[in-house]
Amino acid sequence: MKRYSAFALAREAFRNHSGWERAWRAAVPKDEYDVVIVGAGGHGLATAYYLAKNHGISNVAVLEKGWLGGGNTGRNTTIIRSNYLQDESAAIYEKARSLYETLSQDLNYNIMFSPRGVLMLAQTEHELRAWKRTAHANRLAGIESELVDPQQIKKIVPIINLDGPRYPVLGGLWQPRGGTARHDAVAWGYARKASAMGVDIIQQCEVTGVDRDANGVTGVQTSKGAIRCKKLCFIVAGSSGLLAEMAGFRLPIESLALQATVSEPIKPIIDCVVMANTVHGYLSQSDKGELVIGGGTDGFNNYTQRGSFQHIEETIRALIETFPVISRLKQLRQWGGIVDITGDRSPIIGKTPVPGIFVNCGWGTGGFKAIPGSGWATAEMLATGEPGVLAQSFSLDRFAEGRMIDESVAAAVAH
Ligand SMILES: Cc1cc2nc3c(=O)[nH]c(=O)nc-3n(C[C@H](O)[C@H](O)[C@H](O)COP(=O)(O)OP(=O)(O)OC[C@H]3O[C@@H](n4cnc5c(N)ncnc54)[C@H](O)[C@@H]3O)c2cc1C
């Protein structure tokens, strides 16, 4: 694989950019792999990369029914933060956030990580108390995050309306090194490096069945034929329940549509990410100048990848209360993804009832930020057969044992 560099750019400029290689190989499936990963989203690709990099395991296939990064990884609003309440969550999200800091250098691919700061508004007394508690918990966990008052908020976001008609802004939780990254680039960067290390990424290859014998998994059936494997990992977000059903077990996951929208591009008006959880809407500005706006999930399970209209209307209404300055802005595009939600709003990384089958899912509305940490932890589990320190609390058993990692009470929304 040729390195991307200023020198390579200059060299290609002199020969009409004819020397660039394909970013990743178009692999043809082999008969057998040590590990098969289903789903070429950020989590699946990061897992494959860290399997090769950290554990020297590259006889790995990543099978993708559509195109690489075409699931939620290419549909999210790219918010990155790690100021979660529970210790287990803070650990894995902070591992991810810290890996994001140097991911462009590690992958030799510009993922456009922008630590512009994330502000989560408190618009009720309850929310203010919750953020106070989170700020204390974060300090104990060594995570940089602080409570800010309305005057500090006005300085950070001059366009904000502190005295909204329904809920005034009472304070906020501010993580200065939170921010955004280019979502496609995260998938493309991991794919390029994993492919160069020998991982086969096979697109247009839908898994349609799971083969098993009395000892556990033996392989998968796909739209490109049967593939044998020693270990199998489902990393398919909103399709997790469907894959589990193929393997003969059930997951405590609900699949719901979550949507986002972007406005026409305008000059810079906001240089951080703001989340207004009570009125429910969040906002940042892309490098192109578009306002990137996200809302809540549909109130019913579905696989539509679109989302219902009233939700987007509610989100825009909420944001106009918080930022009246955007009231006449036109929206350019709207889209949706299918998110995989657990009862405690925390992910599942662990073994399943079928020996040899592992799962990584349940990231719900907030898994983009976790991609590097999740890939790191899942690769460790696949390499050793057991979850390591980062993953062990997120096992499937916790639902049977009542060991919840409850982020729903803590945050109500988890983007
Ligand atoms: C609108 C929206 C906004 C969001 N905003 C944020 C945010 O701001 N910050 C944040 O941290 N998170 C956010 N998220 C959540 C985040 O996008 C997801 O948690 C994360 O991208 C999940 O990544 P993944 O790799 O697990 O899944 P995906 O990227 O969905 O990848 C799974 C892949 O599996 C493939 N697949 C499914 N079934 C099969 C099969 N049978 N065979 C082969 N392949 C299969 C799919 O085609 C897909 O490509 C948002 C999500 C949405 C939808």
Side-chain angles (χ1 to χ4, degrees):
M1 184 183 74
K2 285 189 192 149
R3 271 188 68 75
Y4 292 156
S5 64
F7 172 73
L9 257 183
R11 185 191 60 216
E12 290 306 322
F14 282 108
R15 52 180 193 188
N16 252 342
H17 293 278
S18 57
W20 297 117
E21 305 168 320
R22 279 185 173 274
W24 52 85
R25 290 173 292 115
V28 178
K30 292 192 274 188
D31 291 342
E32 183 164 5
Y33 290 92
D34 291 337
V35 180
V36 164
I37 293 168
V38 189
H43 290 260
L45 293 164
T47 300
Y49 169 64
Y50 292 118
L51 265 174
K53 184 184 174 207
N54 294 355
H55 305 281
I57 300 173
S58 57
N59 185 22
V60 175
V62 185
L63 309 182
E64 168 54 51
K65 74 173 175 187
W67 69 97
L68 179 165
N72 293 342
T73 299
R75 292 164 187 267
N76 64 73
T77 45
T78 77
I79 299 172
I80 296 171
R81 63 183 183 90
S82 62
N83 51 354
Y84 282 69
L85 176 69
Q86 311 292 352
D87 290 346
E88 300 88 339
S89 325
I92 195 162
Y93 287 105
E94 178 59 14
K95 172 77 182 172
R97 202 206 56 76
S98 64
L99 287 170
Y100 266 123
E101 294 262 3
T102 51
L103 198 58
S104 294
Q105 290 79 3
D106 183 20
L107 298 178
N108 179 229
Y109 201 98
N110 187 4
I111 60 140
M112 296 165 74
F113 177 57
S114 164
R116 59 184 67 183
V118 174
L119 179 65
M120 295 155 76
L121 301 179
Q123 290 177 286
T124 63
E125 289 294 342
H126 168 82
E127 219 172 4
L128 193 59
R129 273 199 303 275
W131 289 164
K132 263 185 202 160
R133 186 178 168 214
T134 307
H136 291 314
N138 288 162
R139 195 161 308 133
L140 288 173
I143 288 171
E144 197 187 357
S145 124
E146 61 177 300
L147 203 69
V148 283
D149 63 27
Q151 285 66 42
Q152 289 168 295
I153 290 177
K154 192 72 184 165
K155 277 203 185 121
I156 298 170
V157 206
I159 61 165
I160 203 165
N161 175 20
L162 292 175
D163 305 307
R166 284 193 292 165
Y167 296 97
V169 175
L170 305 175
L173 187 65
W174 170 238
Q175 183 166 32
R177 293 295 295 177
T180 60
R182 172 83 198 271
H183 47 11
D184 303 312
V186 172
W188 297 336
Y190 275 122
R192 175 169 170 269
K193 206 61 188 281
S195 173
M197 293 172 97
V199 170
D200 283 352
I201 299 163
I202 303 158
Q203 301 183 75
Q204 309 290 322
C205 180
E206 179 168 6
V207 171
T208 52
V210 174
D211 297 331
R212 43 186 288 196
D213 63 16
N215 298 320
V217 70
T218 57
V220 284
Q221 296 293 328
T222 79
S223 52
K224 296 195 172 182
I227 301 175
R228 291 194 304 279
C229 64
K230 298 187 183 80
K231 289 175 186 166
L232 175 65
C233 190
F234 300 147
I235 316 188
V236 293
S239 303
S240 299
L242 302 175
L243 267 293
E245 196 179 1
M246 288 180 206
F249 60 91
R250 296 190 69 194
L251 287 171
I253 290 280
E254 288 187 75
S255 294
L256 292 135
L258 174 71
Q259 51 188 318
T261 164
V262 290
S263 74
E264 58 188 327
I266 51 171
K267 287 190 175 163
I269 58 163
I270 180 168
D271 62 1
C272 64
V273 180
V274 178
M275 299 164 71
N277 295 343
T278 297
V279 292
H280 213 126
Y282 53 98
L283 179 74
S284 65
Q285 190 163 17
S286 76
D287 296 337
K288 280 188 282 183
E290 297 164 340
L291 295 187
V292 182
I293 294 172
T297 48
D298 274 2
F300 47 89
N301 295 2
N302 65 76
Y303 290 93
T304 60
Q305 276 192 328
R306 273 200 316 270
S308 47
F309 184 68
Q310 80 271 14
H311 249 292
I312 214 74
E313 210 182 357
E314 255 171 41
T315 302
I316 301 287
R317 191 165 54 222
L319 284 174
I320 289 174
E321 278 177 24
T322 323
F323 304 103
V325 71
I326 67 169
S327 65
R328 281 179 296 140
L329 211 56
K330 293 191 180 67
Q331 297 304 304
L332 275 192
R333 296 190 301 281
Q334 170 275 352
W335 66 91
I338 316 164
V339 293
D340 42 338
I341 306 219
T342 60
D344 61 1
R345 302 298 188 269
S346 287
I348 303 170
I349 309 175
K351 298 180 184 180
T352 69
V354 181
I357 302 187
F358 300 80
V359 71
N360 172 323
C361 64
W363 293 99
T365 61
F368 173 71
K369 65 181 67 65
I371 285 173
S374 155
W376 185 286
T378 310
E380 184 181 14
M381 173 176 72
L382 288 170
T384 61
E386 293 295 330
V389 183
L390 280 178
Q392 63 199 8
S393 310
F394 295 104
S395 67
L396 191 50
D397 303 342
R398 77 174 187 272
F399 296 96
E401 293 166 3
R403 257 186 314 105
M404 303 304 171
I405 305 169
D406 200 340
E407 289 294 345
S408 61
V409 173
V413 61
H415 306 296

